[in-house]
Amino acid sequence: MKHVVITGGSRGIGAAAVRALLEEGYFVSTCSRAPTEHIRCFETDPALRERFYYQPFDLARIEEYERFLDACVARGGPLYGLVNNAGIAQAGVLATFPLVDCERIVRVNLIGPLALSRAAARHFLRHRRGGRIINISSIIGSRGYTGLSAYSASKAGLDGLTRSLARELGRIGVTVNSIAPGYVRTDMSAALSQEDLQQIVRRTPLGRLGEAADTVALLKFLLSEGAGFITGQVIFVDGGLSC
Amino acid sequence: MSKEEVLLRIQAVLDQVLDAKGIPRVKLSEDVAVMDGTLPIDSLDLAQIVIELQSVTGRDPFRNGFVEFRTVGELARLFAA
């Protein structure tokens, strides 16, 4: 059974991904600051709970990531895939945006994935069975958005990690890709005003906001054997907004 | 773990790496340079050796930043007790 670790699986895209991968037959490990109704559901569903592991912790505590991964491997077996999904967003004009919030956003959205990818790379190097790393980025990392400078910088950094680590780990059969969703209807998009969201829908060729399922569909493909020759890519799932 | 034991472990991991690449094994000595092209390994192979040494010795000499080493003997001394 293939084991996938997803950070931030308690809500939004993360929770949708956990459910979809459990239904596909993967063993799924995840973490978040606190459990939600989604987590309680995965832990109690007789069809899913045997293939599910959850550990609560504060994702800003980078030094605990390696221990978290070790605990996941102890429970779910050798690592096949890592999905760096956990992220935070906060809107504000940079000129008055508190530096402490800039640092927190970059820490969770970029330093965290760096630390966890490092831990995963060490695992992949020791076991040499290949694997997958998927970073959940954002269209904002490539296109930018007024009021989201720190968030945008963190996601652009994540895409840089994707490209470099893909080159580094390709030789041992590990693929590394970014999925860059457009504006998805989740708690995260609540940082945008209703007016902004309506404008985004008007500018999107497919005429709607994204859903978590749109991102999860690509995630499932990138984890599959069929995606074994795709690496180092940033793939937009944005209804054509960026085309 | 003594320096001699660390050297044996480096040799064992190097053997695994070269076997996986289908390259003939190389007998190590302390004065062999690690990354000047003498050994048929790249930086990823060296990372695998270092990760293994960190695992078996419980030591991480690079915790606070990179420490220079040139030869296999210098690498072994970083991990020896």
Side-chain angles (χ1 to χ4, degrees):
Chain A
M1 190 187 318
K2 287 179 174 171
H3 178 196
V4 177
V5 174
I6 303 175
T7 59
S10 64
R11 64 183 72 226
I13 290 172
V18 169
R19 173 166 292 284
L21 297 185
L22 285 169
E23 287 171 353
E24 287 267 304
Y26 289 93
F27 189 104
V28 181
S29 298
T30 192
C31 62
S32 66
R33 244 180 313 187
T36 59
E37 194 52 44
H38 291 293
I39 297 297
R40 281 186 279 276
C41 176
F42 301 142
E43 284 181 327
T44 54
D45 187 325
L48 307 179
R49 65 186 180 207
E50 295 302 316
R51 292 180 291 106
F52 179 69
Y53 173 65
Y54 172 75
Q55 183 177 313
F57 73 76
D58 183 350
L59 292 163
R61 299 180 69 171
I62 309 298
E63 64 282 358
E64 292 188 15
Y65 273 43
E66 190 146 6
R67 272 200 296 274
F68 165 68
L69 197 66
D70 288 344
C72 293
V73 168
R75 184 68 73 90
L79 184 66
Y80 169 72
L82 166 66
V83 182
N84 283 309
N85 165 72
I88 54 175
Q90 188 178 333
V93 174
L94 186 60
T96 54
F97 199 68
L99 277 177
V100 65
D101 289 332
C102 287
E103 191 175 332
R104 188 170 56 89
I105 288 168
V106 171
R107 189 170 177 80
V108 172
N109 293 5
L110 180 57
I111 308 296
L114 267 168
L116 200 51
S117 298
R118 177 182 184 272
R122 293 165 68 84
H123 182 90
F124 289 138
L125 270 170
R126 290 192 79 184
H127 293 85
R128 299 262 178 163
R129 296 176 181 175
R132 302 277 190 270
I133 296 177
I134 298 169
N135 294 317
I136 304 300
S137 177
S138 168
I139 185 178
I140 295 170
S142 303
R143 296 296 169 123
Y145 199 92
T146 298
L148 291 174
S149 294
Y151 179 79
S152 172
S154 70
K155 293 299 187 181
L158 198 57
D159 294 342
L161 167 65
T162 289
R163 287 185 283 268
S164 292
L165 197 56
R167 290 177 182 275
E168 206 165 289
L169 298 182
R171 189 165 66 69
I172 58 168
V174 176
T175 68
V176 187
N177 291 288
S178 280
I179 298 176
Y183 298 89
V184 179
R185 197 188 304 276
T186 65
D187 295 349
M188 194 88 83
S189 60
L192 300 174
S193 70
Q194 203 56 36
E195 196 176 298
D196 287 341
L197 291 174
Q198 283 169 0
Q199 188 182 53
I200 289 163
V201 169
R202 281 197 301 275
R203 290 180 178 174
T204 301
L206 290 177
R208 64 170 172 86
L209 289 177
E211 302 288 343
D214 299 319
T215 300
V216 171
L218 178 58
L219 175 67
K220 279 161 54 177
F221 172 65
L222 288 175
L223 285 169
S224 73
E225 297 294 330
F229 199 56
I230 300 171
T231 195
Q233 303 304 307
V234 178
I235 304 172
F236 294 153
V237 182
D238 67 352
L241 182 61
S242 59
C243 70
Chain B
M1 189 176 262
S2 70
K3 186 185 73 180
E4 288 67 30
E5 289 171 316
V6 175
L7 283 167
L8 285 174
R9 183 61 69 146
I10 294 173
Q11 180 73 65
V13 181
L14 178 66
D15 289 348
Q16 282 176 26
V17 166
L18 297 184
D19 288 352
K21 290 179 159 185
I23 296 173
R25 291 184 177 186
V26 176
K27 179 85 178 101
L28 288 178
S29 61
E30 281 195 50
D31 59 347
V32 169
V34 178
M35 288 301 294
D36 73 345
T38 308
L39 293 175
I41 62 172
D42 62 18
S43 55
L44 206 58
D45 299 323
L46 177 59
Q48 186 179 353
I49 292 170
V50 168
I51 290 165
E52 179 66 17
L53 294 179
Q54 287 171 338
S55 172
V56 298
T57 65
R59 292 177 162 235
D60 184 2
F62 310 114
R63 180 178 295 278
N64 297 316
F66 188 70
V67 179
E68 288 286 341
F69 63 87
R70 198 184 67 79
T71 65
V72 172
E74 288 169 7
L75 175 62
R77 272 190 286 279
L78 289 175
F79 286 94

